[in-house]
Amino acid sequence: MQSITIRIPSALRAFAGGASECQVQAASVREALSALQTEHTLLAQKILSRGGELRPFVNLFLDDDDVRLLNGLDTPLRGERTITIVPSVAGG
Amino acid sequence: MSMRERRMQDLRRTVPQLDPVAARERLDQGALLLDVREPDEIAQGTPLGAQPLSRGFLELRIERLAPDLDQPIILLCESGARSLFAAASLQQLGYRQVYNVSGGFQRWKAEGLPCAVPRSLNAEARQRYARQLNLPEVGEQGQQRLQDSRVLIVGAGGLGSPAALYLAAAGVGTLGIVDHDRVDRSNLQRQILHADSRVGMSKANSAEVALKALNPSVEVCTHELRVDATNADALVHDYDLVLDGSDNFRTRYVLNDACLRHGLPLVHGSIYRFEGQVAAFWPQREGPCYRCLFPEPPPPELAPSCDEAGVLGVLPGTIGLLQATEALKLLLDIGEPLLGRMVIYNALSSEMRRLRIAARMGCSCRTRSVEPIEALQGDAAL
C-alpha cells in the first residue's frame, strides 16, 4: 500500500469538513477513492456515481496527468503520489 | 579614392556579386534573399520573395532566419553598397555562401523583375508596439497578423476585463465584446474595464469606452445579448478566436459547440474563490474540447456562482491574463498553447500547475464528421 495525498479543491471542501487534502493508503486510484469514501463520505457521494465511477463534471489527475490518459481508475499507484480532484467551475 | 570606396573595392573581391537575374534564379533554388534596407524604404517595394531585415538588426536576427552557416544568403539594398558591408559582416559571423546583388533594388526594378509592396505599420503603430516589434517571435509580420485578427470575448466581467484590455493593448485589430448586463458598483472590485462613473451603463458599451481610450485603433464590436444556442453560430462566425469569460455553464457549453462547428479555437478560463482554470480547446488541431473534459455541468449545489461564493478580486485578473496570453500565442502561432493542457492556479498557495487533459471517446468533437450538424446544436446535455 502506498501513501497517497488526495487534494480537494475549494469548490468541494464544504463536503469534506473544510479539508484541503487527505492522506490515504491505496494501491490503485480506485482504492484511493474507496478510502476517500471512508474518510469523507459526503464528498465521495458528490463526485462518484453509485457504481463508483467518476461523475461527468469531475476529473482526477495523478500528479499532472488526467487518469483517463493512464488506466483510468484502475491506474496502479507506486511511491508517493498525489491525486488532484478538478471539478468543473464556471465563475468568470 | 575615399576610404569608403577603397573598402568597397576590397569587399567586392571577397563577396561574390550577383546581377539581379542571377539572384532571382538562386532565390528560386532556395537561397535566402534579404532586403537590408530600412522599413520606410521597403514599404515602397521589395523583390518578391525577399525577407526584410534592416541592416541595424542583421547580426542580431540572422541566426533565426538562417540557423545553418551553409545556407546561401543573398543581400540586397537600394544600390548595392549597404548590402556589401552587410555581406562582409555575415561572412565574419561564419556564413560561407554570402552574395551581394550588384545595383541593388534599383537595378532589380530596372530589369523588370517581380516586386511586392509589403503592408507596413504606420509610424503611430510602430511607436505603440515598439517593444513587441522587437520580439523576433512577433515582429512586423506578427503585429500585422494581430491587426488582422478578430477575437470575440464573451463576458465583459472579471475574466473578460483584463483579457480585453491586454488584447486591445497588444493591437488585436477587432474585439467583439458580448455582455447583456449593466455595470454595477459591486462589479468594480474585479471588472477593471468599467469605472465608477459608468455604473448603470451597459457593460458592452462601457468596455468600448475603456478599450477605445486605451487603443483608439482597435475596432470594438459590441453585442448586447446573452449567448444561447439560437445566436451562438451567427456570433462566432465572424471571428478567428473566442475567449470564454462567461460566468455560467450554459454559455460555456453553447460556445464550445459553436466553436467546434466553426473550427475555431476557444480559450477557456473559469474561477472559483481563490482558484482558477485555463485551457485552450481546438480539437481540429490538437487535444480535447470542453465537453471531453466535462461532459456535463455539476448540479447547482456544487457550482455556486461568484455572487454566492465570493471571489478574490485579483484572481480573474490572473486567469484573464493567462487567457489573453493563450489567445496571442494562438493568433501568432508561437510557443506551446494550452491545447491538451490545463493550467490550474491557486492564489492562496501561489501554486500553478500544468495538467495533461484527455480527449473523450464518443465526444461530439470526435464524431462531428459523421454526425449531422443539427445533432450538435442546442443544449440538450445541460
Side-chain angles (χ1 to χ4, degrees):
Chain A
M1 288 292 214
Q2 307 297 325
S3 177
I4 306 299
T5 303
I6 300 180
R7 289 190 173 186
I8 302 164
S10 56
L12 299 175
R13 279 178 205 158
F15 307 103
S20 60
E21 60 180 46
C22 73
Q23 304 289 326
V24 298
Q25 299 291 315
S28 71
V29 173
R30 198 179 292 280
E31 280 185 26
L33 291 178
S34 295
L36 179 74
Q37 205 148 16
T38 311
E39 188 92 7
H40 298 294
T41 309
L42 194 53
L43 170 64
Q45 282 172 357
K46 298 293 180 189
I47 66 168
L48 298 173
S49 67
R50 285 188 181 174
E53 299 299 316
L54 275 180
R55 295 179 71 186
F57 53 85
V58 181
N59 284 289
L60 285 188
F61 292 84
L62 178 58
D63 297 328
D64 291 341
D65 291 330
D66 191 329
V67 295
R68 289 185 293 120
L69 290 165
L70 308 170
N71 285 328
L73 299 187
D74 297 319
T75 304
L77 300 173
R78 292 186 193 89
E80 285 189 11
R81 309 294 293 270
T82 300
I83 292 174
T84 305
I85 303 169
V86 178
S88 140
V89 294
Chain B
M1 189 185 283
S2 71
M3 198 167 62
R4 178 181 68 90
E5 286 163 343
R6 273 203 305 277
R7 176 70 178 141
M8 287 179 68
Q9 206 170 49
D10 290 343
L11 290 179
R12 283 195 193 97
R13 287 192 206 105
T14 54
V15 176
Q17 304 293 299
L18 295 177
D19 62 48
V21 172
R24 165 86 181 160
E25 282 169 9
R26 291 203 183 224
L27 174 67
D28 290 343
Q29 289 161 10
L32 180 64
L33 176 59
L34 293 180
D35 189 338
V36 298
R37 295 175 300 154
E38 295 304 307
D40 57 328
E41 295 175 282
I42 293 174
Q44 308 300 313
T46 187
L48 190 66
Q51 299 266 355
L53 180 54
S54 68
R55 176 71 190 86
F57 288 102
L58 181 69
E59 292 85 348
L60 298 175
R61 296 182 181 164
I62 185 63
E63 212 171 338
R64 184 174 153 79
L65 287 172
D68 180 0
L69 292 174
D70 285 318
Q71 161 75 44
I73 301 173
I74 306 166
L75 297 163
L76 171 140
C77 66
E78 190 64 20
S79 66
R82 279 176 287 170
S83 54
L84 184 60
F85 288 103
S89 213
L90 290 191
Q91 285 180 330
Q92 280 175 357
L93 283 176
Y95 286 94
R96 289 181 271 270
Q97 296 191 63
V98 184
Y99 305 89
N100 183 41
V101 179
S102 63
F105 187 54
Q106 284 174 7
R107 192 170 161 198
W108 182 284
K109 278 191 298 187
E111 295 189 5
L113 292 168
C115 301
V117 179
R119 293 174 53 212
S120 65
L121 299 169
N122 62 29
E124 190 271 333
R126 228 172 264 290
Q127 189 179 21
R128 178 181 290 270
Y129 306 118
R131 301 298 180 277
Q132 225 160 253
L133 291 168
N134 283 346
L135 294 170
E137 290 80 0
V138 181
E140 184 147 347
Q141 220 174 352
Q143 194 61 51
Q144 279 173 349
R145 203 163 167 168
L146 292 181
Q147 199 170 292
D148 293 339
S149 297
R150 300 172 61 84
V151 173
L152 183 70
I153 297 173
V154 180
L159 296 171
S161 285
L165 283 167
Y166 270 91
L167 292 179
V172 171
T174 303
L175 291 175
I177 305 291
V178 187
D179 208 304
H180 69 281
D181 211 353
R182 293 188 170 273
V183 179
D184 185 90
R185 191 158 279 119
S186 67
N187 301 145
L188 301 178
Q189 158 255 20
R190 65 198 180 284
Q191 300 183 14
I192 58 169
L193 265 174
H194 312 301
D196 200 73
S197 59
R198 298 201 290 276
V199 168
M201 186 187 279
S202 91
K203 284 190 179 177
N205 287 341
S206 170
E208 184 178 19
V209 170
L211 297 172
K212 283 288 194 185
L214 176 62
N215 189 347
S217 67
V218 171
E219 189 182 338
V220 180
C221 302
T222 55
H223 305 277
E224 286 184 54
L225 50 83
R226 192 189 289 268
V227 180
D228 61 31
T230 66
N231 59 23
D233 284 287
L235 197 56
V236 305
H237 178 259
D238 286 336
Y239 292 90
D240 302 313
L241 181 148
V242 177
L243 189 145
D244 184 357
S246 64
D247 62 358
N248 65 88
F249 287 107
R250 182 173 293 273
T251 304
R252 291 182 183 281
Y253 284 99
V254 165
L255 284 177
N256 177 72
D257 296 350
C259 285
L260 276 181
R261 283 193 291 275
H262 293 270
L264 296 176
L266 173 68
V267 179
H268 167 88
S270 55
I271 51 172
Y272 181 84
R273 289 188 169 165
F274 299 98
E275 294 172 11
Q277 303 175 358
V278 185
F281 299 116
W282 200 4
Q284 287 87 349
R285 185 184 278 191
E286 187 185 340
C289 76
Y290 180 62
R291 276 191 195 277
C292 285
L293 193 61
F294 299 117
E296 290 175 27
E301 75 270 18
L302 295 184
S305 68
C306 288
D307 290 357
E308 301 162 82
V311 64
L312 188 67
V314 293
L315 179 71
T318 306
I319 300 300
L321 282 189
L322 288 174
Q323 286 182 273
T325 309
E326 289 307 306
L328 291 177
K329 282 159 60 184
L330 286 164
L331 294 172
L332 292 167
D333 199 14
I334 60 171
E336 291 176 37
L338 286 174
L339 298 170
R341 300 278 190 280
M342 178 166 72
V343 164
I344 58 172
Y345 172 68
N346 184 320
L348 289 182
S349 64
S350 305
E351 189 184 23
M352 189 176 282
R353 288 172 60 197
R354 196 175 74 145
L355 307 172
R356 282 207 307 149
I357 54 180
R360 193 176 292 268
M361 291 281 286
C363 179
S364 54
C365 75
R366 306 281 124 186
T367 58
R368 71 189 187 286
S369 57
V370 291
E371 247 179 69
I373 284 176
E374 292 72 26
L376 292 178
Q377 288 177 341
D379 47 11
L382 293 173

